[in-house]
Amino acid sequence: PFGQRLLESLLAGDAAGGDARGRESAALYAVAPGTGYDRSGVLADLRVDNHPEAPTELARIYDLHDLYFGMPHDPQQLVGDLELEVRGLLDTLGITGGATADDLARWASTANLENRLSATGIDARVLSELRRAHQAR
């Protein structure tokens, strides 16, 4: 993802000694014209203030940002055993009545994962969150 290298650099700098003033804040701001959730050009505008482990907290927030606003990465086709698994997870969660891909889209929209949907299959993070939702049930 776009900000992963920036975040890794920030964490490496922190591990190497960081800012002499301490770990009070950390931020990640990335832009690219015509991109972002609403095409505003802002890929991420994340900030942690007044936190004893600000770089680590920024990494946690970045992971959530990537989950909710990231694009699908290497989706697996929803066929065979994978489709059966997804169908079973959705059924257990009460998301039934349509084709597996349609029901997955319904579930993903309620989990705020619609950006990670793909017409070619299921994103690994969506699958992981679907499994987590099933376990939490």
Side-chain angles (χ1 to χ4, degrees):
F2 71 89
Q4 188 64 40
R5 283 183 263 172
L6 288 172
L7 183 60
E8 288 170 359
S9 297
L10 187 141
L11 293 173
D14 182 58
D19 189 327
R21 297 170 292 175
R23 290 180 167 155
E24 294 180 10
S25 68
L28 179 99
Y29 184 71
V31 296
T35 62
Y37 182 72
D38 58 0
R39 297 281 202 224
S40 66
V42 178
L43 292 168
D45 185 358
L46 307 174
R47 182 177 184 88
V48 175
D49 288 314
N50 196 26
H51 193 286
E53 297 294 329
T56 304
E57 180 64 4
L58 181 65
R60 186 186 73 78
I61 291 170
Y62 172 80
D63 184 59
L64 290 173
H65 182 275
D66 182 55
L67 174 64
Y68 295 124
F69 299 108
M71 302 303 289
H73 298 283
D74 299 322
Q76 299 175 49
Q77 282 191 320
L78 206 52
V79 296
D81 289 342
L82 182 57
E83 181 180 11
L84 291 173
E85 178 189 3
V86 169
R87 176 76 267 158
L89 294 170
L90 291 167
D91 288 348
T92 302
L93 293 171
I95 310 295
T96 62
T100 302
D102 294 338
D103 285 348
L104 177 61
R106 280 186 31 223
W107 175 81
S109 70
T110 64
N112 293 325
L113 299 175
E114 57 274 9
N115 280 354
R116 297 196 80 90
L117 291 178
S118 168
T120 61
I122 186 169
D123 173 80
R125 292 206 64 186
V126 172
L127 180 58
S128 177
E129 290 299 309
L130 181 59
R131 288 173 175 157
R132 184 174 308 168
H134 175 262
Q135 290 174 350
R137 205 179 141 346

